[in-house]
Amino acid sequence: MSKTAMGASQKDFESAMNQVKLLKKDPGNEVKLKLYALYKQTTEGPCNTPRPGVFDLINKAKWDAWNALGNLPKETARQNYVDLVSDLSSSDSSSQVKPEADRKQPGYETLVVTSEDSITKIMMNRPAKKNALTVQMYREIMLALEAASKDDSTLIVLTGNGDYYSSGNDLMNFMNIPPGEMEKEAKNGAILLRDFVGCFIDFPKPLVAVINGPAVGISVTILGLFDLVYASDRATFHTPFTHLGQSPEGCSSYTFPKIMGQAKAAEMLMFGKKLTAREACAQGLVTEVFPDSTFQKEVWTRLKAYSKLPRNALHISKQSIRNLEKEKLHAVNAGENSVLQERWLSDECMNAVVSFLSRKAKL
Ligand SMILES: CCCCC/C=C/C(=O)SCCNC(=O)CCNC(=O)[C@H](O)C(C)(C)COP(=O)(O)OP(=O)(O)OC[C@H]1O[C@@H](n2cnc3c(N)ncnc32)[C@H](O)[C@@H]1OP(=O)(O)O
């Protein structure tokens, strides 16, 4: 039922438009598309322009949202717009400052990095977006790893805040690219990915993944470069590359067959089979699985004990194991990235991204 019992007037609509600009909290893309569609429907009526081309991702998502309103009358659209803004404004004013904002160390916007008990913990901190990795986040993780390689910590942990470990590459990274810039951006993406994965290949200290929930895409593939992988029994491991028109990265085309054998690796990397934590453990990708209810307690007790081991001996052992494979891993990384650079320009990949975004545009 509409909240403005008498029906929203033009004045209510204009005031709602001003209120939107004052929102402190970003309402997210889905809501923004909804607002856009209702605005267009109110001011121009049903969608009356040709559908933008396949590479014009943003305008296509906007067009889809508007078009989905069909013949909704202008007055109803205006009412819905005003009601939606009213809901957003009330949740905006009641929203509290997130507690983790206080704990953040300076220098990182997308991570919380802490050091305690000779353990440096790098926590991905975009829980509302399932810790999807933005370009800024890739860069900050590289910076945090670089700093951790030089600090006095014994172990380094990567984990996620919220219910997900990470949903992998942020698919919005493929947005906002003007048509003529696609090739250049694909090249930049491949360079970023090469450097990101390279940091994990070269990292000199023991790396531990604390997988607090589901993991997708690149957050799974790089696990082959970690020394320990502890998972909650709520975690899942999913690499839907073929569905996304993409191909494996993170050196997984090499590490996964070595870890779990050719047949199981193919099922994951080619056919996108999602593994439970226990399956991933049985296949050697995960070191140990813990019940979710005691996960943090058990894992951190274990890690604190490990962090007391002789530091230099631990680091030398890690480097001896890794050095045998370093050159090969860098070559695999380069090969995977050049294939992916091409894949990102393919219709299959574009269509998969558009399909994810249109799911968001559904009203
Ligand atoms: C440059 C280097 C490139 C490296 C190459 C890497 C490749 C990969 O990592 S491929 C894997 C990419 N990831 C995905 O395909 C996952 C996409 N996301 C999903 O399928 C789902 O969001 C989900 C299964 C992870 C979670 O579903 P659900 O529980 O229904 O939650 P929501 O979908 O409502 O998600 C909440 C919120 O977060 C946004 N979001 C989640 N994951 C991503 C993502 N990977 N990219 C962009 N946005 C993501 C989602 O859109 C929701 O946002 P709002 O609608 O604004 O609330």
Side-chain angles (χ1 to χ4, degrees), residues 100-305:
E100 64 262 29
D102 301 333
R103 301 199 310 263
K104 269 191 198 173
Q105 281 183 9
Y108 301 103
E109 282 179 23
T110 63
L111 310 174
V112 175
V113 182
T114 47
S115 284
E116 210 182 328
D117 296 318
S118 302
I119 302 173
T120 293
K121 179 170 89 166
I122 301 171
M123 184 166 71
M124 296 173 276
N125 191 31
R126 291 184 77 218
K129 299 286 178 184
K130 312 289 182 195
N131 297 320
L133 291 151
T134 57
V135 170
Q136 182 184 9
M137 209 154 161
Y138 287 112
R139 297 219 165 99
E140 289 194 356
I141 291 174
M142 288 192 269
L143 286 173
L145 286 174
E146 168 75 16
S149 72
K150 295 182 188 136
D151 70 15
D152 57 5
S153 60
T154 302
L155 303 176
I156 281 67
V157 168
L158 185 63
T159 191
N161 186 17
D163 62 341
Y164 259 67
Y165 174 69
S166 167
S167 62
N169 188 39
D170 190 314
L171 296 174
M172 298 299 282
N173 289 339
F174 292 103
M175 298 284 286
N176 300 325
I177 303 175
E181 305 271 294
M182 289 297 288
E183 292 195 4
K184 192 178 107 203
E185 284 304 315
K187 192 169 172 207
N188 290 342
I191 292 169
L192 176 68
L193 183 59
R194 179 200 65 195
D195 293 348
F196 179 73
V197 175
C199 279
F200 287 87
I201 297 173
D202 288 333
F203 197 72
K205 299 180 183 179
L207 264 175
V208 184
V210 172
I211 313 282
N212 52 298
V216 186
I218 188 162
S219 74
V220 176
T221 55
I222 51 166
L223 293 178
L225 300 171
F226 279 68
D227 302 293
L228 293 171
V229 179
Y230 290 139
S232 149
D233 60 5
R234 220 173 43 76
T236 51
F237 298 82
H238 193 200
T239 49
F241 299 123
T242 306
H243 300 75
L244 292 168
Q246 297 185 36
S247 51
E249 23 49 7
C251 293
S252 58
S253 58
Y254 176 70
T255 57
F256 278 29
K258 268 185 70 168
I259 291 169
M260 59 185 78
Q262 192 65 37
K264 294 292 184 188
E267 208 176 17
M268 265 194 99
L269 296 176
M270 289 163 58
F271 297 98
K273 183 177 181 199
K274 190 197 282 188
L275 301 188
T276 63
R278 297 211 184 281
E279 286 167 339
C281 190
Q283 291 176 17
L285 184 63
V286 164
T287 313
E288 193 169 333
V289 180
F290 299 83
D292 193 56
S293 54
T294 53
F295 178 59
Q296 297 291 344
K297 188 164 176 278
E298 289 195 60
V299 164
W300 288 100
T301 305
R302 176 87 56 92
L303 291 177
K304 277 176 195 168

